[in-house]
Amino acid sequence: MTLLDFARGPALEWALIIFVAGSLWRLVGAWLVRREADLSAPRSESTAAGGVRTVFSRFWPRKEFQSKTVYAWVLAYVMHIGLAIVVFLFTPHILFIEGLLGISWPGVSNDFVMFAGAVTIASMVALLVRRLTTPYLKAISNVDDYISWLLTLLPVVTGMMAYAHIGGPYPTVLALHILSVDLMLVWFPFGKLFHAILWVPSRAQLGAAMQRRGVKA
Amino acid sequence: MTVNMEMFKQFAEMLPRLGDNAQPPQMTDAERVSTAKETFIRKLNGRMAIDLESCIHCGHCASACHYFVGTDDPKYVPIRKLDLLKRVYRRELSPLRWLHRLYTHDITVKELQECQELVYDSCTECGRCSMVCPMGINIAGMVNVMRQGMANAGMIPAELMAMEQEQGGHESLFGVGPEQMKGAIMKLQESGLDIPLDKEKADILITTSVIDILLFTDGLIATARIMNHLGLDWTLRSDGYEAANFGLLSGYERVQKAASERIIAAANACGAKTVIIPECGHAYPSMRWEAANEHGGPLPFEVLAISEFLGREVKSGRLKLNALGRSRKVTFHDPCKLARHSGTIEEPRWVLDALGVDFREVESSKELNWCCGGGAGVFLINSAADLRQKAFQIKINQVEKTGADSVVTACGSCRLNFLNGAMRSGWDKGIESLVELVAEALPEQQPTTH
């Protein structure tokens, strides 16, 4: 079995199993921690609407907070949009997903994907520099922040290397790319990458709770 | 109406001695840690679990916190205040606890001691941090859980401990118990003010607070005049008058519940359909949102903040007011616990509109208003004095930008902090109470008789 066979064979299978099972375990486990009914009289009954509103309203900070947060918000958007383009609009990735799930969609040009990848890497470096040079961010950072950063960066870097045929024989670089994706999938349920799932329930529950008290969150 | 500043100065001078009467519980370090942990585990719920799992360490909460913005000190980033709670959650409740226990060490008594400043001195549980969090984490709610754990472990500031022990043990605050309260009310009655005390039956139970009895008496008088002007069937009850709840502020659940239960019992005894909370920020959420859950069932009456009640009366047309005039340039400070925590946002503005003043909104207002820096009992904590003042500077800047001559608020605690902050920094703006402004604008100055 070659390294590439291993990366896209058993390593990928196990990574996907850990990704799915670990994600379900973490989400359901946190969700099932004791919940009690609130017996106070609500100011507003439309809590579901409040929850949905907050899921969407938190896509951008309110103007009162923009001056101090907009730089990080823009960088985060650049990174996330760049990643989305690289992961979901690169034709080989779409073919891989079609093989796995049976669904597909049109891709974009490879040059555009490479540009998106470069922008993603630049934004991630800028975010890391910000984290390392801002005292209050350093104070709240832990090893998870750096592992998650690295395991997000590696697939992008190795993917671009494979596409550009640099860094070694193509099968080896491609194997390293797939292995880095496998690692990222394995880490996903255990670190802060899991916010890709949690942003919906965490925003929704705040919005619903505040709506209950008559406040738009 | 103005505050008697001599009385206020005497009150402020008394604060440094407030903690002298505290009686810290005798516990070993191990008992303190286990008690705090037991409380954390008992109070953590599914919503908090999702929140604690969600933080991405973006630090945006820092930009919303008056203590961080006032100092630029990394230790005041709001989410850091939950470090110990998060560790206990990860080790004891989290779905990945089997993994976290491998590399997450247990909390220690030293860490709890260090945490005291973070959850008491430097957090008013104002909740502004939740309004910027991209993940929607309710940090203030969990700081309250931290306080509950620390309180049960006897690790709270002496000032709050003394107040909580006084309220729990003697049913009094600042030495004012039911007898002193009755004496104060009788004095007001002798001056000609109609205050129905201890009526057997009444539609409305008015509560007050020790601050109104001792210091802001004009607020109590104003409330009585407004209720009489509206011809309402109301009473004050000596068995359930104190709205301030130091159990909530310190985090000590037994005292919190007992304080709420006294009001519930008094309201039930007189068959009140409505309980009105005076200008006291934390007293409102204590009765409005917390009491039913402690009581174990919905409350058989409506709970209204006095500013909320006044707004409704104005909006309905039942309460008509004389215009105070556009020469009165005022702004409004939204108390966090009334606005951001409780949705009492438009009602005070309806009142200010009816008062016909030149109202100027601050830049970040309503549910996004900056905390004054003194809420959740922080005003009483002596070690927090300098930090509080740095946070208060944000309020000064905010109000100055409006060009208003005075700032109106609807919370006694905010008012105390404003007065103290203004005194310390030589700030000359007026600091007014909404209920007192309303009383000033009543068309009929003579109270009616029940």
Side-chain angles (χ1 to χ4, degrees):
Chain A
M1 184 184 285
T2 65
L3 186 64
L4 183 58
D5 290 337
F6 171 73
R8 60 186 174 193
L12 180 60
E13 283 170 19
W14 275 105
L16 284 169
I17 290 168
I18 293 169
F19 171 77
V20 173
S23 296
L24 283 173
W25 182 268
R26 183 167 171 189
L27 185 64
V28 175
W31 195 263
L32 290 180
V33 173
R34 180 180 53 87
R35 285 172 186 266
E36 299 150 337
D38 190 340
L39 303 173
S40 63
R43 190 185 283 270
S44 164
E45 299 281 1
S46 53
T47 52
V52 171
R53 187 181 55 234
T54 304
V55 167
F56 289 99
S57 70
R58 293 294 166 108
F59 276 124
W60 193 247
R62 291 160 84 148
K63 66 175 170 37
E64 287 84 349
F65 299 120
Q66 284 173 11
S67 65
K68 292 193 171 168
T69 62
V70 76
Y71 175 70
W73 268 97
V74 169
L75 278 181
Y77 264 111
V78 169
M79 187 201 83
H80 282 88
I81 292 170
L83 267 181
I85 291 169
V86 169
V87 174
F88 296 113
L89 295 182
F90 186 44
T91 304
H93 290 170
I94 297 169
L95 290 172
F96 170 78
I97 293 168
E98 187 179 15
L100 195 68
L101 302 173
I103 52 172
S104 71
W105 52 86
V108 295
S109 77
N110 291 350
D111 287 346
F112 184 69
V113 172
M114 289 309 115
F115 172 73
V119 169
T120 302
I121 292 169
S123 63
M124 288 188 70
V125 170
L127 282 165
L128 180 68
V129 169
R130 180 173 175 268
R131 185 171 290 284
L132 291 170
T133 56
T134 311
Y136 73 87
L137 273 180
K138 271 178 78 177
I140 58 171
S141 299
N142 61 18
V143 68
D144 178 16
D145 293 301
Y146 302 108
I147 292 175
S148 295
W149 180 88
L150 186 64
L151 293 182
T152 305
L153 184 78
L154 279 179
V156 184
V157 170
T158 55
M160 291 180 74
M161 286 168 63
Y163 177 77
H165 292 270
I166 57 172
Y170 176 74
T172 305
V173 179
L174 181 62
L176 290 175
H177 172 59
I178 297 173
L179 280 172
S180 69
V181 174
D182 296 342
L183 263 180
M184 191 268 291
L185 288 170
V186 168
W187 180 250
F188 183 90
F190 303 102
K192 82 166 185 178
L193 296 179
F194 200 61
H195 77 274
I197 304 282
L198 287 169
W199 65 274
V200 177
S202 61
R203 285 182 187 182
Q205 66 183 16
L206 180 80
M210 294 195 81
Q211 177 69 32
R212 194 174 187 281
R213 296 184 174 200
V215 180
K216 287 182 180 172
Chain B
M1 296 180 206
T2 54
V3 179
N4 182 333
M5 285 309 287
E6 280 310 308
M7 282 285 287
F8 176 74
K9 281 178 185 168
Q10 285 176 25
F11 178 79
E13 283 165 10
M14 182 190 70
L15 294 181
R17 301 189 302 278
L18 197 57
D20 292 352
N21 295 328
Q23 295 176 324
Q26 298 301 310
M27 299 169 84
T28 64
D29 286 353
E31 285 170 339
R32 289 184 198 278
V33 171
S34 64
T35 303
K37 278 177 62 179
E38 178 275 322
T39 310
F40 293 166
I41 293 165
R42 182 165 49 81
K43 301 302 290 189
L44 278 168
N45 59 34
R47 279 171 50 182
M48 295 173 187
I50 292 289
D51 276 354
L52 289 173
E53 297 277 357
S54 295
C55 181
I56 52 173
H57 304 160
C58 67
H60 288 335
C61 50
S63 68
C65 176
H66 45 284
Y67 292 120
F68 176 81
V69 171
T71 62
D72 215 25
D73 188 333
K75 72 178 173 180
Y76 297 130
V77 178
I79 197 69
R80 276 204 69 205
K81 295 164 186 173
L82 301 180
D83 278 355
L84 297 188
L85 188 71
K86 193 172 187 177
R87 288 235 303 272
V88 171
Y89 165 75
R90 284 186 158 181
R91 285 177 53 91
E92 312 294 341
L93 284 177
S94 145
L96 300 177
R97 53 188 176 274
W98 47 272
L99 181 66
H100 289 305
R101 279 181 192 152
L102 298 177
Y103 57 86
T104 309
H105 70 84
D106 209 352
I107 63 171
T108 66
V109 74
K110 186 166 177 283
E111 288 172 327
L112 283 168
Q113 282 160 351
E114 288 166 355
C115 199
Q116 186 170 304
E117 189 210 350
L118 298 184
V119 298
Y120 286 102
D121 295 34
S122 61
C123 183
T124 53
E125 299 178 24
C126 81
R128 196 167 187 269
C129 45
S130 293
M131 305 304 278
V132 71
C133 176
M135 296 298 285
I137 298 171
N138 180 359
I139 296 174
M142 289 187 278
V143 167
N144 191 250
V145 171
M146 290 285 295
R147 282 191 174 200
Q148 289 172 331
M150 306 275 283
N152 287 338
M155 302 176 79
I156 67 176
E159 298 88 342
L160 294 187
M161 186 181 287
M163 296 296 287
E164 165 251 305
Q165 287 174 343
E166 186 188 359
Q167 188 166 31
H170 308 292
E171 299 186 15
S172 65
L173 285 171
F174 292 118
V176 176
E179 290 309 313
Q180 291 80 2
M181 175 267 191
K182 278 200 272 192
I185 298 302
M186 282 158 75
K187 269 191 182 174
L188 292 176
Q189 288 171 330
E190 285 163 13
S191 71
L193 185 68
D194 181 14
I195 297 190
L197 183 63
D198 289 335
K199 278 171 68 174
E200 286 187 13
K201 292 287 168 200
D203 289 339
I204 299 172
L205 174 69
I206 294 283
T207 57
T208 184
S209 89
V210 64
I211 295 298
D212 280 0
I213 294 168
L214 284 176
L215 206 59
F216 299 147
T217 316
D218 284 345
L220 181 55
I221 294 169
T223 303
R225 287 181 53 207
I226 294 163
M227 301 306 287
N228 292 341
H229 173 82
L230 290 167
L232 296 169
D233 176 23
W234 68 284
T235 188
L236 258 176
R237 298 267 307 195
S238 57
D239 56 354
Y241 64 92
E242 181 56 72
N245 190 326
F246 276 83
L248 176 68
L249 295 186
S250 66
Y252 200 51
E253 299 157 82
R254 187 182 63 77
V255 173
Q256 180 182 341
K257 182 177 179 185
S260 298
E261 288 293 343
R262 279 196 282 276
I263 295 175
I264 294 170
N268 287 340
C270 68
K273 299 182 193 71
T274 305
V275 169
I276 294 182
I277 305 297
E279 290 189 334
C280 182
H282 82 276
Y284 181 63
S286 167
M287 278 308 294
R288 180 70 177 84
W289 306 116
E290 309 275 346
N293 295 318
E294 296 153 4
H295 186 64
L299 303 181
F301 47 79
E302 186 179 27
V303 180
L304 296 174
I306 184 73
S307 57
E308 186 181 18
F309 167 78
L310 293 173
R312 287 191 189 185
E313 293 299 300
V314 164
K315 192 77 170 173
S316 69
R318 288 187 293 270
L319 179 59
K320 297 192 190 309
L321 301 171
N322 293 331
L324 294 179
R326 302 277 298 169
S327 60
R328 302 270 288 256
K329 290 182 281 189
V330 307
T331 187
F332 186 70
H333 166 71
D334 286 283
C336 312
K337 307 294 191 296
L338 288 171
R340 185 157 43 246
H341 284 255
S342 302
T344 306
I345 294 169
E346 296 306 327
E347 291 89 341
R349 286 165 174 79
W350 296 339
V351 174
L352 288 166
D353 186 48
L355 287 169
V357 292
D358 179 359
F359 173 58
R360 292 146 183 245
E361 196 78 80
V362 292
E363 259 179 20
S364 183
S365 68
K366 301 184 178 178
E367 70 271 21
L368 296 182
N369 196 27
W370 284 99
C371 173
C372 67
V378 175
F379 173 71
L380 299 172
I381 302 173
N382 293 300
S383 56
D386 290 339
L387 184 59
R388 214 165 49 216
Q389 195 65 16
K390 286 174 184 161
F392 185 68
Q393 187 61 43
I394 298 170
K395 290 309 308 182
I396 293 180
N397 299 343
Q398 206 186 14
V399 173
E400 285 292 334
K401 277 187 185 171
T402 67
D405 295 326
S406 68
V407 54
V408 180
T409 192
C411 167
S413 180
C414 294
R415 206 170 159 200
L416 285 173
N417 200 55
F418 266 87
L419 286 168
N420 197 50
M423 194 168 67
R424 281 189 62 170
S425 59
W427 195 47
D428 62 354
K429 296 292 180 200
I431 294 147
E432 303 186 89
S433 132
L434 188 73
V435 70
E436 290 179 28
L437 279 184
V438 169
E440 190 184 331
L442 287 176
E444 295 171 28
Q445 293 300 316
Q446 295 300 315
T448 57
T449 305
H450 280 272

